[in-house]
Amino acid sequence: MDQQQLSKDILKLVGGEENIDQVTHCMTRLRFNLNDNNKADKKTLQNTPGVMGVTINGGQFQVIIGNDVPKVYNALVGNMSKSPDGGTTKSEVAKEKKNPLSALFDFISGVFTPILPAITGAGMIKGIIALLVTLGWMSDKGSSYQILSAIGDGAFYFLPIILAISTARKLGSNMFIGAAIGAAILHPTITTLLGTGDKVTFAGLPVIAATYASSVIPILIAVWLASYVEKAVDKITHASLKLIVVPTVTLLVIVPLTLIAVGPLGVILGNALTDGFSWLFDNTGLFAGLIIGGTFSLLIITGMHYALVPVMIGSMATLGYDYLIPMMMVANFAQAGSALGVSLRSKVKQTKSLAMSTSITAFMGITEPAMYGVNMRYKKPFIAALIGSGVGGAFMSLFHTKAYVMGGLAGIPGIPMILGGTAVYAFIGFVIAIAVAAGLTYILGFEEGSAAAVETAVKTAQTPQTTQVQQVPAAQVNKANEANEEAKPQDQEVFSPITGEVKLLSEVNDPAFAEEIMGKGFAIQPTEGRVVSPINGTVFSLSKSGHAIGLVSDAGAEMLIHIGIDTVKLKGQFFSPKVQAGTKVSVGDLLMEFDRVEIEKAGYDTITPVIVTNMYQYDSIKSAGKTNVKESELIYTAKA
């Protein structure tokens, strides 16, 4: 690959040099602060050979390149007449202020993504209870039912406390002060006092009755305000008194303010959103499903679907059902149907294989590979998917199709969410969406180009190291290919580089990792600040900021360890590398030390993806089945 040409293409497609306010890079991606994100041609960029993906996070336009990003960055800067401006923080803050909508979506995503496992688990338990009672296998009068119901309802009833912790963490304020605010408004004394119907006052000001159990918006606003109060008080308080003064003043200001003004306003707003969507589905017949179902994939692309998460949770908590979850599911099934249609219609082997594999993952609720890698690439299949989801959504809306619990991916694993009185209409709607999307794709067709062009595109999307191969003389490449054909692929065992809790990549609050654009593997939520080698091999790259380490194993597996999310912004602060590029390492050798506590205090999530980036050489990832690991314990195997 010609980095010079790629850099010129990227420079043109982001809107030209005049549209660039600033550009930096981290271990895997170019990070642009653009004057106007709308001037960038995102779709063409995503289809540009050498570009693995494009994402917009907090207003920052990010082009994912892979391990060769430094070369592309240097070529890009060389083609610019002005300095790229190495600083990031002030520019990013300014950009977020210019794009409040992007900042809002980033905030909502950052708050709700970490708590989804708790909500999902509780929702699944509620669904299992309902199924057991319906089948007559459990009585709703017994103590077992009551205990299980408490387990299922607990996360929803005490949702303000859970949200308070997550919100405070996202805002970089004290999580436990946030939890204390949530606990205070849910205290039995407050609940009883506001439920009597009698006049309640605090310091002569009226306290408006409101129900805070299972609420969402009041605590989000309260903790947001608390973050400002906490920082202001901390700034003017002597160090010896901070421990006492800061939490005391914050609680005394925010809790009464929440009860008097913030809480009632938040409850009214939350109820209005929930009631508004309910009214839309209850009173507009098929039109609600046609519009929302038909546009849900567009919401996912823009990130606007995160704004609907509070509505879904609020509806489930207050009404016992939700209309939006079925719309998300029908949109995903339609994307799967279109990819299936591409596989059936295509005459190119590589396209058929790619489309079929991404269709299967989309049916399981992971739609990004099908949506970005197939349907949007060929355009017409994506349009067919929108039409299919609109038609399926319209049918479901006509019969008021609901989800009754929150749990599982919005695909086949999420079927338990819609099991209830309207389940049959949900199944019919899903089938309609799949059939319409696949049928239209097959009938309309698409331009896929030659087999060679498709093969190049597929390899570019899946292989972060293709540039190194293309720089080698052709004769050497042929010899290497012959050797590879004779050599038997080897499984690659990956040992934990960090002590902590094992997480799925889908739990990482960064699309490049969550959608497995960069590669596959697992993530670790660290409990210690050490990183050791997960393989026997060589360190081939180390970011200047220290937050990312690239390795290649003796068996040829290319690994990336990415410490935290957006920690590149720390510019090396709190990171202490112990190796350099070219160092030979064995499993357990110390690579890096980092100050986990200080990084989290600075407002950054320290969850660490540990991924294999050259997955085109492997068939699958097999977990070792551990939920908590220590350094050098096996976490997964890349199966050859």
Side-chain angles (χ1 to χ4, degrees):
M1 179 184 298
D2 184 349
Q3 283 92 5
Q4 281 290 341
Q5 185 58 50
L6 177 58
S7 68
K8 292 177 181 178
D9 292 341
I10 293 173
L11 187 62
K12 177 182 177 181
L13 293 172
V14 297
E17 184 176 348
E18 63 277 6
N19 194 38
I20 300 175
D21 176 49
Q22 176 186 304
V23 57
T24 58
H25 75 89
C26 61
M27 189 75 167
T28 57
R29 58 189 92 181
L30 297 170
R31 293 169 173 262
F32 292 92
N33 292 109
L34 301 179
N35 296 318
D36 185 355
N37 285 339
N38 293 324
K39 290 184 179 180
D41 189 345
K42 184 178 178 182
K43 290 185 177 179
T44 304
L45 261 175
Q46 288 173 322
N47 293 321
T48 299
V51 174
M52 299 176 67
V54 178
T55 183
I56 300 176
N57 191 349
Q60 191 179 68
F61 194 91
Q62 302 175 6
V63 182
I64 304 168
I65 302 297
N67 294 324
D68 287 312
V69 69
K71 299 176 183 178
V72 178
Y73 172 80
N74 291 335
L76 179 74
V77 172
N79 290 324
M80 295 174 61
S81 60
K82 63 180 181 180
S83 169
D85 184 12
T88 58
T89 305
K90 290 183 180 179
S91 180
E92 285 170 4
V93 171
K95 183 57 64 178
E96 288 180 1
K97 289 180 179 178
K98 294 177 183 177
N99 295 277
L101 195 60
S102 296
L104 175 63
F105 294 154
D106 177 65
F107 170 72
I108 293 174
S109 169
V111 169
F112 283 92
T113 299
I115 74 167
L116 286 179
I119 301 300
T120 297
M124 289 298 292
I125 291 170
K126 289 167 68 72
I128 292 171
I129 295 170
L131 183 62
L132 292 176
V133 172
T134 301
L135 295 174
W137 294 351
M138 176 183 287
S139 170
D140 59 0
K141 307 296 183 184
S143 57
S144 296
Y145 172 83
Q146 294 176 352
I147 292 173
L148 287 173
S149 295
I151 297 173
D153 290 334
F156 290 97
Y157 185 89
F158 293 103
L159 187 60
I161 297 178
I162 298 174
L163 276 173
I165 294 171
S166 184
T167 304
R169 181 176 183 177
K170 175 65 177 176
L171 295 172
S173 55
N174 191 293
M175 295 184 290
F176 302 102
I177 294 178
I181 296 170
I185 64 175
L186 288 175
H187 194 281
T189 300
I190 298 293
T191 302
T192 303
L193 189 63
L194 297 180
T196 60
D198 298 333
K199 181 179 180 181
V200 180
T201 63
F202 178 82
L205 297 173
V207 176
I208 301 174
T211 301
Y212 295 106
S214 304
S215 63
V216 173
I217 295 180
I219 197 66
L220 293 178
I221 300 175
V223 176
W224 174 68
L225 292 173
S227 68
Y228 286 96
V229 174
E230 179 186 337
K231 292 171 185 175
V233 176
D234 182 83
K235 188 175 182 180
I236 63 175
T237 304
H238 190 272
S240 62
L241 299 174
K242 288 181 186 292
L243 181 62
I244 299 173
V245 174
V246 174
T248 302
V249 173
T250 303
L251 290 172
L252 284 176
V253 171
I254 294 299
V255 174
L257 180 63
T258 300
L259 295 173
I260 293 168
V262 173
L265 179 62
V267 170
I268 292 171
L269 180 59
N271 289 341
L273 287 172
T274 299
D275 294 343
F277 277 102
S278 295
W279 181 91
L280 190 67
F281 280 94
D282 289 337
N283 295 278
T284 63
L286 56 83
F287 293 104
L290 179 66
I291 296 171
I292 297 177
T295 59
F296 217 105
S297 292
L298 297 175
L299 296 180
I300 293 173
I301 292 171
T302 60
M304 292 177 64
H305 64 296
Y306 285 120
L308 298 177
V309 174
V311 179
M312 296 176 189
I313 295 177
S315 296
M316 200 66 68
T318 57
L319 301 177
Y321 59 81
D322 176 65
Y323 286 114
L324 293 175
I325 293 174
M327 295 299 109
M328 181 185 295
M329 295 181 70
V330 80
N332 286 357
F333 281 123
Q335 292 292 338
S338 283
L340 178 62
V342 170
S343 181
L344 295 174
R345 174 68 185 257
S346 174
K347 291 180 172 57
V348 178
K349 181 179 178 180
Q350 290 86 353
T351 302
K352 292 179 76 70
S353 175
L354 179 65
M356 180 57 72
S357 63
T358 58
S359 175
I360 293 172
T361 59
F363 276 118
M364 299 307 293
I366 304 171
T367 58
E368 284 78 5
M371 190 158 57
Y372 292 111
V374 177
N375 298 339
M376 290 179 65
R377 181 181 295 275
Y378 299 123
K379 298 180 179 62
K380 289 181 181 179
F382 184 71
I383 295 173
L386 297 182
I387 295 172
S389 60
V391 175
F395 174 85
M396 293 163 63
S397 178
L398 191 63
F399 293 95
H400 310 298
T401 304
K402 306 175 181 70
Y404 300 93
V405 296
M406 289 193 70
L409 295 170
I412 293 175
I415 292 298
M417 294 191 290
I418 49 92
L419 293 179
T422 60
V424 64
Y425 303 116
F427 288 124
I428 295 173
F430 297 158
V431 172
I432 291 174
I434 295 167
V436 171
L440 280 177
T441 298
Y442 192 88
I443 293 170
L444 295 175
F446 46 88
E447 295 181 7
E448 57 183 322
S450 65
V454 173
E455 183 176 6
T456 300
V458 172
K459 286 184 177 179
T460 299
Q462 296 178 340
T463 312
Q465 292 296 312
T466 50
T467 53
Q468 295 182 5
V469 175
Q470 292 179 350
Q471 291 171 346
V472 178
Q476 294 183 28
V477 172
N478 292 333
K479 290 181 180 179
N481 288 339
E482 292 173 2
N484 287 336
E485 288 176 0
E486 295 175 359
K488 293 182 179 180
Q490 300 180 30
D491 291 353
Q492 177 65 59
E493 291 185 329
V494 178
F495 299 87
S496 179
I498 300 175
T499 296
E501 183 180 0
V502 180
K503 300 282 190 180
L504 298 175
L505 284 181
S506 59
E507 298 180 55
V508 179
N509 187 27
D510 186 317
F513 295 111
E515 297 166 11
E516 298 184 339
I517 295 174
M518 289 301 306
K520 294 185 179 182
F522 286 84
I524 298 174
Q525 190 70 58
T527 56
E528 297 181 5
R530 283 168 47 90
V531 181
V532 302
S533 177
I535 47 90
N536 296 326
T538 305
V539 177
F540 70 79
S541 62
L542 180 67
S543 66
K544 291 182 180 179
S545 58
H547 75 290
I549 306 166
L551 305 101
V552 59
S553 77
D554 292 338
E558 295 164 6
M559 304 285 305
L560 173 64
I561 304 172
H562 196 284
I563 307 167
I565 303 304
D566 281 340
T567 44
V568 63
K569 298 175 184 177
L570 292 171
K571 298 181 181 179
Q573 188 179 13
F574 310 129
F575 291 94
S576 178
K578 303 301 179 184
V579 293
Q580 58 186 1
T583 302
K584 290 284 293 181
V585 292
S586 299
V587 173
D589 288 351
L590 182 62
L591 303 178
M592 175 78 64
E593 290 182 344
F594 62 97
D595 194 326
R596 179 181 62 84
V597 175
E598 290 299 324
I599 293 173
E600 291 179 350
K601 280 184 180 179
Y604 295 92
D605 188 352
T606 54
I607 190 169
T608 301
V610 182
I611 62 174
V612 176
T613 57
N614 59 334
M615 276 304 298
Y616 64 96
Q617 292 184 356
Y618 297 92
D619 180 62
S620 62
I621 294 292
K622 182 180 180 181
S623 170
K626 293 182 174 66
T627 55
N628 291 280
V629 291
K630 295 181 180 180
E631 289 179 7
S632 303
E633 288 186 345
L634 182 68
I635 49 174
Y636 67 86
T637 302
K639 306 294 290 184

